[in-house]
Amino acid sequence: MTEPPAVASAAPSLSSEFAELASGERIATAAAALEHNGIRSLLAATGADARSLVSSLLPDGAEVYNNTSQTLEATGIADDIERSGRYQPLRLRLYRMDREMQRREMRALGASPDYVVGSVHALTEDGSLLIASASGSQLGPLASGAGQVIFVIGAQKIVSDVATGMRRIYEYCYPLEDARARRAYGVPSGVNNILIVNKVMTPSRVTAIIVKERLGF
């Protein structure tokens, strides 16, 4: 995820406002706004239900890239994509390639997968999606490169507007992701790139599954 200097990397003190589940009314408002903006909206009661929905949306044998996501890990979706044998898991294929000898091929594969599955850091009530990234590598496919995009979104990520979504990224998601990156990789994270999807011009290219549970950051 540039690193905001006011945010410490040690155990962060986080605002509870960004961890609270949205009400049924706010979920319905966001879902309707997504549809208005060209994004197919589906509702799931639990992470398990979302997992089943993703499975129904991905055809057998499909080339699928799963973005790094605490939501996908928690629901088992990442495991399904990488280990079920149903799909061609592009992330694992890229891991096995030689970064020096196959750099151009890796860049091309990562830029235009058939399917990308991931999550977002904020969903506004008027149907905008906000995704932050340290490297930015996954943002191009989400914006236009991937054939189909599926987002799985915990209902605690619903915010009133883009400005509040930006606050959620910097004040809530970034400290959590920075702590995770330092534990997992020994390096800090950073809000170096932010994608805001306000409207999708290709009908049905993007599907957002809103889950009535707290999932991910």
Side-chain angles (χ1 to χ4, degrees):
M1 282 174 133
T2 300
E3 183 170 342
V7 179
S9 60
S13 176
L14 302 171
S15 171
S16 62
E17 72 172 296
F18 294 127
E20 296 177 1
L21 280 178
S23 66
E25 181 179 0
R26 293 184 74 203
I27 292 172
T29 296
L34 287 169
E35 293 282 351
H36 178 76
N37 293 341
I39 299 167
R40 178 168 53 171
S41 177
L42 302 175
L43 300 180
T46 66
D49 292 336
R51 184 179 186 178
S52 296
L53 279 173
V54 171
S55 178
S56 71
L57 293 170
L58 295 175
D60 288 349
E63 177 189 77
V64 185
Y65 188 92
N66 53 299
N67 286 339
T68 301
S69 165
Q70 296 297 294
T71 296
L72 300 189
E73 294 287 342
T75 55
I77 293 170
D79 195 60
D80 288 346
I81 292 170
E82 295 181 358
R83 297 177 177 84
S84 69
R86 285 187 56 197
Y87 315 111
Q88 300 178 54
L90 188 54
R91 175 181 289 278
L92 296 185
R93 181 178 173 186
L94 290 169
Y95 280 158
R96 292 192 292 265
M97 295 175 73
D98 187 302
R99 290 185 178 273
E100 293 301 321
M101 302 299 294
Q102 297 176 289
R103 186 180 299 276
R104 187 177 187 282
E105 184 181 354
M106 291 176 69
R107 190 169 66 247
L109 283 172
S112 56
D114 290 338
Y115 288 83
V116 170
V117 183
S119 190
V120 306
H121 294 101
L123 161 60
T124 71
E125 290 181 14
D126 57 358
S128 291
L129 301 166
L130 286 75
I131 308 102
S133 170
S135 70
S137 60
Q138 77 271 38
L139 300 185
L142 295 178
S144 64
Q148 296 284 322
V149 178
I150 301 170
F151 291 117
V152 181
I153 307 167
Q156 87 279 10
K157 298 181 180 183
I158 295 176
V159 296
S160 56
D161 51 33
V162 167
T164 308
M166 295 293 285
R167 282 186 51 227
R168 189 177 197 279
I169 287 172
Y170 279 102
E171 297 176 16
Y172 187 82
C173 303
Y174 167 74
L176 290 171
E177 174 57 23
D178 183 62
R180 187 199 70 83
R182 290 173 189 269
R183 289 193 305 268
Y185 315 124
V187 296
S189 187
V191 186
N192 299 329
N193 306 269
I194 299 175
L195 172 66
I196 302 176
V197 180
N198 292 320
K199 189 171 185 177
V200 173
M201 303 304 292
T202 305
S204 301
R205 177 180 172 267
V206 179
T207 298
I209 301 171
I210 304 175
V211 189
K212 299 175 184 178
E213 286 187 339
R214 293 182 186 86
L215 292 172
F217 297 157

